[in-house]
Amino acid sequence: MDSPLPFLFGMPPEKARRRFEIGFNQSKSPGPDATRLHLVIYPNLPQDAGAWHHANVMLDPKTWLPIAVQMY
């Protein structure tokens, strides 16, 4: 839970909503036949924002597992 990207490792949804702004990348909105979902995640808390500005996360829509993660 204290890793840089705890939402990837079983963080409860309500806690993730408090700590992070999570949304779809507007330029890559998912369609019904999407092979991946592109999320952009921004930290809300100072302890997270001190380590990273935002993260791009690609998810497999069938398994909801991460395909790729890029932190800035």
Side-chain angles (χ1 to χ4, degrees), residues 11-38:
M11 175 179 275
E14 58 280 349
K15 188 172 182 180
R17 286 186 202 102
R18 281 193 312 270
R19 284 183 64 182
F20 308 103
E21 292 295 323
I22 303 172
F24 289 108
N25 182 314
Q26 294 301 319
S27 66
K28 299 177 183 175
S29 296
D33 58 346
T35 58
R36 62 184 69 187
L37 302 173
H38 183 183

Side-chain angles (χ1 to χ4, degrees), residues 39-57:
L39 302 178
V40 180
I41 299 156
Y42 292 92
N44 286 331
L45 302 179
Q47 69 262 24
D48 296 316
W52 51 285
H53 178 267
H54 72 279
N56 292 323
V57 178

